[in-house]
Amino acid sequence: MRAKSYLLLAFVAIGLSAFIVPAQDSYFYDILIGIGINVILATSLNLINGYTGQFSLGHAGFMAVGAYAASYLSLKWMQPVDPGADPNAISAMAEGGFFVALLAGGICAGLVGLLVGVPSLRLKGDYLAIVTLGFNEIIKSVIQNAEPLGAQRGLGGMVRYTNYLWTFGLAAICIYVVVCLVNSSYGRGFLAVRDDEIAAEAMGINTTKYKVLAFVIGAFFAGIAGGLYAHLKQFVHPEAFNFGRSVDIVVMVILGGMGSAAGVCFAAVILTVLPEGLRYLSHWDKLPDWLQHVAENRMILYSLLLIVLMLTRPQGLFGGLSAPKRRIGAK
Amino acid sequence: MIEFIQQLINGLSLGAIYALIALGYTMVYGVLRFINFAHGDVFMLGAFAGLYAAPHVLEMCGGPSYGVTAIVLLVAMAACAIIGVVIERLCYSPLRAQPKLTVLITAIGVSLFLENGGQLWFGADPKSFPIIMDDSAIDLPQWFGRFVDLTLTTGQLLVFGVTAALLIALHYIVMHTRLGMAMRAVSFNPAAASLMGVNNDFIISFTFALGSALAGAAGILVSIQLPSVEPLMGVMLGLKAFVAAVLGGIGNLQGAVLGGLLLGVLETMDVGYGSPTYKDAIAFAVLILILLVKPTGLLGKSEREKV
């Protein structure tokens, strides 16, 4: 009940804050939407990596499936709106269609997640990491060879449906679903699989079901994030969903702390804003030259951050703080 | 048929490169049980070490020759061995007691650091590798060439020769020296090995040095055949070499060589007879299929998890 009121609160807050967000076509608006999309991606990966303990390195693959499926549908069936038209003039009908396309993208990604989840039954740890990475590459290769999806050229011309309300509304739902699921008595199975698979199995938990379920739900939301991304950029390209993108999402989960919903969201915000901030810093004249140079090469900072974090605080910034640790009998 | 043999030769020379890099993955996995994601980038650093060393060596020896190639190879191997040990000391050894996942993530961080650092220090643009030996088609013996129309380049011959020599050397070190025995002991049971007086830290560093040296050699062998080197050249090759290691059964030296050769041949056959655009996907598809049927890889032994 408390969780539901939080969700309601989140919706009200999003609705109210929609009045103060910057103009639709501004640079800051795009960063803001980017934050929302990354929050969805990081939260959904957190379900797989953080709560269920299945190290997946192919989240961008699910995102790609969602992005392409949603784009394909919206291009195929709902292109009555002139691409150059005022984005504020999108009809309710088109908005509904967009939602259907997003949902279809999510479902397609979820089905692929099912496909990826099945090998996870026999593999663990490093092997699973490399197989999910492999799936990411395979998905990319298939798209690169699929002529209806634009192959190497990418797919463009979608209407810019993605806006503040859609992105953050879906982000709120994603967080709600993941947190409620993990905190429910049913969802404790995820944590049990992570903490000790053998013990969980001995206690009669169907570990197979939980692992596959984590992949399907995680992939579903990654697919939705992909659809949002596609309708924000209005162009998708297979290379946008490569191994590097997957690593980005993994870094968000790790920085925030695996299995910490709030930490992961925080990390998603930081890691979306940080590169933009550094880009700004690298053009700031008042800064010494060498600092500008460092800011320019933000990927180096990014990787150093990861190494230092692992050496000093491997549980992530917020790890171990908000993970569910209620004792039996406690209220 | 002739074309098939030709593809086989090309595939084996590609596979030999995979095998050299895969050995590094598999040896580190053997002693530490984690994927050294930065290994592919050590390979890249080997190529760059060669790129910077080659002009000096060429000047010293006065022109391209096999001697120059040998020196450049040794320089790159030494450089990579040092880099490998430094990475292990700085980034992995403080994490011995941490869960394997932490080390894996650190390795991803190191890999990103080397890739982006490489782009900063060396420049992101491809650089042409100096000609240190002549890479041309060999005149196959007349009696042979009369019947078949095969092409074998000196570069490929070098790959086969160097790989074979390194594999024999590695086999000797691992199976017939005290160090090798210690390596096998650490791989078998680290706690017991250290009780028997093995210095585990030293052996782990030594393993990193060996594996990285092999990657450095692979870096030079690739660069001689490719016209250029660039900071991201190790990403895909490293991943595929890792696939090769898993394919053969990770932790198993013969498996890494088998997996590498198999993957190289499969990929070349795909380019020759199938669709070249699926070249990258096929490695991973094969990997997934093999792991589904035999999760420990072709030659891997299954380790039963104890409760």
Side-chain angles (χ1 to χ4, degrees):
Chain A
M1 209 49 223
R2 269 180 68 210
K4 262 185 201 146
S5 52
Y6 277 130
L7 181 69
L8 199 67
L9 204 69
F11 276 129
V12 173
I14 292 164
L16 287 179
S17 59
F19 291 104
I20 55 168
V21 296
Q24 273 250 338
D25 50 352
S26 75
Y27 168 63
F28 292 103
Y29 187 82
D30 278 14
I31 297 178
L32 200 63
I33 303 293
I35 289 176
I37 292 173
N38 280 339
V39 164
I40 300 177
L41 286 170
T43 305
S44 58
L45 184 66
N46 196 19
L47 178 68
I48 304 174
N49 283 18
Y51 291 122
T52 321
Q54 306 296 305
F55 197 74
S56 164
L57 264 179
H59 217 50
F62 301 136
M63 190 186 168
V65 173
Y68 271 93
S71 308
Y72 185 75
L73 285 182
S74 81
L75 283 177
K76 194 100 183 159
W77 284 316
M78 29 181 289
Q79 196 62 337
V81 186
D82 176 21
D86 179 14
N88 293 317
I90 296 167
S91 69
M93 185 71 186
E95 292 269 5
F98 173 53
F99 183 65
V100 172
L102 276 185
L103 214 58
I107 289 167
C108 286
L111 288 176
V112 175
L114 186 69
L115 205 68
V116 179
V118 172
S120 83
L121 309 178
R122 299 197 62 177
L123 307 169
K124 57 182 67 163
D126 307 340
Y127 282 79
L128 181 65
I130 204 77
V131 163
T132 48
L133 195 165
F135 265 109
N136 190 346
E137 288 296 326
I138 291 173
I139 290 169
K140 217 181 79 185
S141 278
V142 168
I143 293 172
Q144 274 170 346
N145 286 288
E147 209 40 60
L149 296 178
Q152 298 274 19
R153 300 181 305 279
L155 192 62
M158 287 79 79
V159 180
R160 200 180 146 112
Y161 288 118
T162 303
N163 60 20
Y164 181 82
L165 286 175
W166 275 122
T167 312
F168 281 87
L170 286 167
I173 291 174
C174 174
I175 296 170
Y176 172 78
V177 168
V178 169
V179 170
C180 282
L181 194 63
V182 171
N183 282 314
S184 67
S185 57
Y186 175 77
R188 287 302 166 90
F190 292 111
L191 306 178
V193 169
R194 174 191 67 181
D195 290 340
D196 193 331
E197 202 180 322
I198 295 174
E201 210 166 349
M203 299 306 287
I205 287 169
N206 187 350
T207 53
T208 304
K209 188 181 77 182
Y210 279 103
K211 285 196 220 170
V212 173
L213 194 65
F215 267 102
V216 171
I217 297 174
F220 172 79
F221 280 111
I224 293 221
L228 286 169
Y229 170 86
H231 289 85
L232 172 72
K233 302 281 178 199
Q234 298 168 276
F235 177 74
V236 281
H237 190 267
E239 280 304 325
F241 308 104
N242 59 11
F243 175 49
R245 188 82 187 86
S246 290
V247 170
D248 280 353
I249 310 169
V250 170
V251 171
M252 284 171 202
V253 172
I254 289 158
L255 184 74
M258 293 226 235
S260 159
V264 163
C265 293
F266 179 74
V269 176
I270 293 286
L271 288 180
T272 321
V273 174
L274 191 72
E276 303 301 332
L278 287 173
R279 187 181 317 210
Y280 176 75
L281 275 184
S282 66
H283 297 297
W284 197 35
D285 301 334
K286 287 184 186 131
L287 225 56
D289 267 357
W290 66 274
L291 265 180
Q292 277 192 30
H293 204 62
V294 168
E296 209 172 307
N297 296 283
R298 52 191 178 279
M299 279 308 289
I300 293 186
L301 281 178
Y302 204 70
S303 50
L304 272 180
L305 183 78
L306 193 64
I307 299 172
V308 171
L309 187 80
M310 280 298 114
L311 289 173
T312 54
R313 201 178 154 74
Q315 69 271 44
L317 292 179
F318 294 85
L321 291 183
S322 71
K325 257 198 290 193
R326 264 174 286 164
R327 260 165 286 141
I328 297 167
K331 290 241 168 95
Chain B
M1 190 59 205
I2 297 305
E3 195 197 335
F4 181 79
I5 296 175
Q6 179 68 57
Q7 297 284 5
L8 199 65
I9 292 174
N10 295 348
L12 286 175
S13 87
L14 176 66
I17 303 280
Y18 285 147
L20 280 180
I21 307 174
L23 278 169
Y25 279 108
T26 221
M27 282 198 288
V28 167
Y29 192 90
V31 293
L32 280 182
R33 295 282 182 279
F34 93 102
I35 305 172
N36 181 15
F37 257 98
H39 195 62
D41 302 296
V42 172
F43 154 84
M44 173 273 289
L45 290 175
F48 272 93
L51 176 75
Y52 289 114
H56 301 288
V57 181
L58 279 174
E59 204 177 318
M60 247 165 27
C61 301
S65 69
Y66 289 106
V68 174
T69 312
I71 296 172
V72 171
L73 255 175
L74 288 177
V75 168
M77 286 171 71
C80 283
I82 294 169
I83 292 166
V85 172
V86 168
I87 291 175
E88 194 274 326
R89 289 277 96 186
L90 284 183
C91 303
Y92 303 150
S93 73
L95 295 172
R96 279 297 140 66
Q98 297 285 348
K100 292 289 162 270
L101 206 55
T102 311
V103 195
L104 180 73
I105 295 157
T106 313
I108 294 176
V110 173
S111 161
L112 286 177
F113 179 72
L114 293 180
E115 281 156 25
N116 294 295
Q119 289 181 332
L120 176 64
W121 297 311
F122 307 135
D125 51 318
K127 298 197 171 35
S128 65
F129 196 82
I131 296 166
I132 53 176
M133 59 168 273
D134 110 280
D135 179 20
S136 58
I138 303 169
D139 293 326
L140 288 169
Q142 277 299 312
W143 55 268
F144 193 64
R146 196 173 300 154
F147 299 109
V148 294
D149 188 22
L150 285 175
T151 325
L152 189 67
T153 64
T154 46
Q156 282 174 331
L157 209 61
L158 185 80
V159 169
F160 291 134
V162 171
T163 309
L166 288 175
L167 289 185
I168 291 168
L170 184 74
H171 182 80
Y172 177 76
I173 292 173
V174 174
M175 300 312 275
H176 298 285
T177 62
R178 283 176 66 80
L179 268 174
M181 198 199 280
M183 273 174 70
R184 281 179 288 145
V186 171
S187 162
F188 189 70
N189 188 336
S194 86
L195 285 176
M196 292 297 124
V198 175
N199 182 347
N200 282 18
D201 282 340
F202 175 75
I203 294 301
I204 290 169
S205 291
F206 180 70
T207 310
F208 266 85
L210 268 186
S212 305
L214 292 179
I220 301 297
L221 293 177
V222 167
S223 307
I224 288 174
Q225 296 183 57
L226 280 181
S228 64
V229 292
E230 45 120 359
L232 297 181
M233 67 191 286
V235 182
M236 213 26 166
L237 209 67
L239 281 179
K240 284 195 202 150
F242 177 71
V243 167
V246 175
L247 196 63
I250 197 153
N252 183 315
L253 297 185
Q254 288 88 347
V257 178
L258 178 71
L261 293 177
L262 211 61
L263 193 63
V265 170
L266 268 175
E267 237 183 75
T268 318
M269 291 296 166
D270 173 59
V271 174
Y273 299 103
S275 100
T277 40
Y278 279 111
K279 183 165 152 273
D280 288 345
I282 199 145
F284 292 105
V286 168
L287 171 83
I288 291 167
L289 284 180
I290 295 272
L291 286 185
L292 280 179
V293 181
K294 196 167 184 306
T296 48
L298 291 176
L299 299 182
K301 285 188 289 287
S302 70
E303 272 178 47
R304 194 168 289 277
E305 195 175 341
K306 297 183 198 86
V307 182

